[in-house]
Every structure is written in structure tokens, then in C-alpha cells.
Amino acid sequence: MTQPIITLNDGSTIPQIGLGTYQASPDGTAAMVEAALGTGYRHIDTAMIYRNEAGVGEGLRASGLAREDVYVTTKVWNTDQGFDAALAACSASLDRLGVDYVDLYLVHWPAPMNGLYVDTWRALIRLREEGRVRAIGVSNFNADHLDRIIAETGVVPVVNQIECHPAFQQVELRAANVARGVAIQSWSPLGQGELLGDPVLQGIAQKHGRTVAQVALRWHIQNGLIVIPKTMHPARMRENLGVFDFALDADDLAKIATLARADGRMGPDPLTFS
């Protein structure tokens, strides 16, 4: 199944849609990943804190696909921030995954009150130089966090993975990332499922003969965002991949723009979360 590929600022590429594994049980992750790869996914997103990296690696091996054919992302957790700690955390993640490298390694949260995200970013730069990670990025960083690591290291993240969905559209932060050449990856792209009952999205879905999830994912795709919806069900995996043969029109996009809410954030605030 052909899907768009996004070129990042270091020249590497990433499939625009991937499988998220947040809250996937450790004992169910391998089967989920194997099913997704069999369905056509080539991009899997995990993190140390999800406690399922081993399952991701098991599913990757069970798929029979070559390592280089699957894009794997993982992340360094807040308690592993700092230069030496982040280097060790990456080694531990590679061991759990059972791989020699990951395609993308992210600083999971800035945790600014800990004062360690710049040193952690320096560790990721070292890991990239050593070949243990192919590309490096961040997650949940605001514009000032981005500016600080860029100013102090000269290295721009390839990706910033942020909460983004029609109820929390992050227009200003998205623009700030674009201005810095940083690709945007949306976590909770379906608003943790809360958007599936939205009447505006339901109306657009009925118009196109699609599901609400497909409409929401198509909104991300047309905005140039990378998406990582999570599902353990093969039928929904196929549904999530089936968003490349229709398009939202200007009227649809204008209606979705009205869904943004000041209180639309569903996850933690990056300024206070540690």
C-alpha cells in the first residue's frame, strides 16, 4: 500500500502514517505490531515509558520484514535525562527492541524544571554521530525549548511530536516548527477517541462515505502532519491506512477549523510536566 513519505531536514524520510503503541499492553504489543506490518504499516512508534519496546521488537522480527524496511521510533524518558543517562537509556532501548539502531530517537518531554533537556539533546547528537540512531528529534517542545537547544548546539530537531487533533490544533506551535524546519508529528491524532462522536466530523464523514477517524486522519495528512494513531484491531489498521484516496475540500477544512477549543488539550502541559 503506497503512502506519502515526508522528507526531514536532515535528508532522511519518514512514512507519514505510523502505528502508535502508547497504552498497548506489553503482552499484546508483538501481535499488534506484526498485524500492522502485515497490513502495510512501515512505521512504528514506541517509547521506554510505554514498557512495550520488547514487544515491538518481537513483532518486527515476526513480520519477516527486513530491519531497514521498517521505521522505528523510541524516546528517552524524563528520569533518564542528562548526557550520560540518556546514552545509557538509548543502549537499554536498543537491547529491549533487539535492534542495532533506531530510525528516530526523541527527547520525550522537555521537563524544563529539571534543567536537563539541553544536555539530553547533546547526548542524542552523540548517538547520531555513533550511528546508534539515524535521526534525532523532540516531543512536546514549545518554541522556546526548540530555540534553546538549537542555539546551544546548532542542531535542529528533525521532528517535534506534539499533541495535535481537531479539538487542539496547535496552530501557533505548528507555525513555529515550520519556521524552524521541524516536521510536526501528531500524537493523539483522534483526540483519544473523544472526537469520534463529534457531529461536525460525523457530517463530513457521511458526505465522503468515510469514517470519522478517516476524516480526522485526513485532516492531519492534508496539513502535512505525520500521524501515529494507535489501534490493536486489524480492521481499524486498514481503515486508518485508507485515507490517501480522498480529500477534504475547503468547506470541510473550514468546518474543522471551528472545532479548536481553548481547553482542547487532553494530555499534560509541557511547561509543568516532569
Side-chain angles (χ1 to χ4, degrees):
M1 183 178 297
T2 302
Q3 59 171 293
I5 299 294
I6 300 293
T7 300
L8 304 176
N9 64 33
D10 64 351
S12 65
T13 58
I14 183 173
Q16 193 171 6
I17 190 166
L19 179 75
T21 64
Y22 176 59
Q23 292 184 331
S25 63
D27 58 351
T29 300
M32 178 178 75
V33 168
E34 183 181 4
L37 294 174
T39 302
Y41 284 83
R42 292 296 180 267
H43 171 188
I44 308 294
D45 181 277
T46 185
M48 185 286 284
I49 199 64
Y50 300 169
R51 309 297 184 194
N52 58 21
E53 289 172 315
V56 169
E58 184 181 342
L60 173 58
R61 290 184 292 278
S63 75
L65 292 169
R67 169 66 189 91
E68 59 269 21
D69 290 337
V70 182
Y71 195 99
V72 178
T73 300
T74 193
K75 313 175 190 81
V76 58
W77 185 241
N78 303 347
T79 52
D80 291 322
Q81 284 205 23
F83 188 84
D84 292 335
L87 295 178
C90 182
S91 294
S93 284
L94 293 176
D95 287 345
R96 286 188 292 268
L97 286 160
V99 297
D100 295 328
Y101 69 92
V102 290
D103 298 272
L104 179 62
Y105 197 46
L106 306 179
V107 182
H108 206 152
W109 290 86
M113 64 291 299
N114 297 339
L116 294 172
Y117 67 87
V118 176
D119 285 341
T120 306
W121 184 240
R122 293 186 196 280
L124 268 62
I125 296 169
R126 171 72 62 84
L127 290 165
R128 186 184 63 178
E129 291 170 347
E130 294 176 349
R132 287 194 277 170
V133 305
R134 297 288 175 87
I136 54 175
V138 296
S139 184
N140 303 299
F141 274 45
N142 289 338
D144 58 337
H145 304 138
L146 291 172
D147 286 340
R148 185 176 173 199
I149 62 172
I150 294 168
E152 296 199 27
T153 68
V155 177
V156 180
V158 298
V159 157
N160 187 8
Q161 188 181 112
I162 60 174
E163 179 182 352
C164 185
H165 45 78
F168 191 60
Q169 299 185 14
Q170 298 264 50
V171 174
E172 290 184 6
L173 182 55
R174 282 162 48 199
N177 279 275
V178 170
R180 291 157 178 78
V182 181
I184 303 147
Q185 193 169 28
S186 304
W187 61 260
S188 281
L190 304 178
Q192 299 177 13
E194 293 187 20
L195 297 175
L196 300 183
D198 183 88
V200 171
L201 294 177
Q202 288 177 338
I204 296 171
Q206 185 174 14
K207 168 183 168 180
H208 289 280
R210 300 287 174 153
T211 66
V212 173
Q214 287 177 319
V215 167
L217 292 175
R218 184 67 202 180
W219 175 83
H220 291 274
I221 296 298
Q222 287 187 216
N223 278 289
L225 309 174
I226 304 161
V227 286
I228 47 169
K230 177 243 176 176
T231 179
M232 301 190 74
H233 305 287
R236 290 192 187 137
M237 293 175 185
R238 290 189 291 273
E239 175 188 322
N240 290 346
L241 284 180
V243 295
F244 303 115
D245 58 352
F246 80 104
L248 303 174
D249 60 31
D251 182 60
D252 300 329
L253 295 171
K255 287 178 178 176
I256 294 173
T258 68
L259 300 180
R261 307 193 312 262
D263 63 347
R265 186 192 297 276
M266 297 177 183
D269 184 339
L271 291 178
T272 57
F273 185 69
S274 63

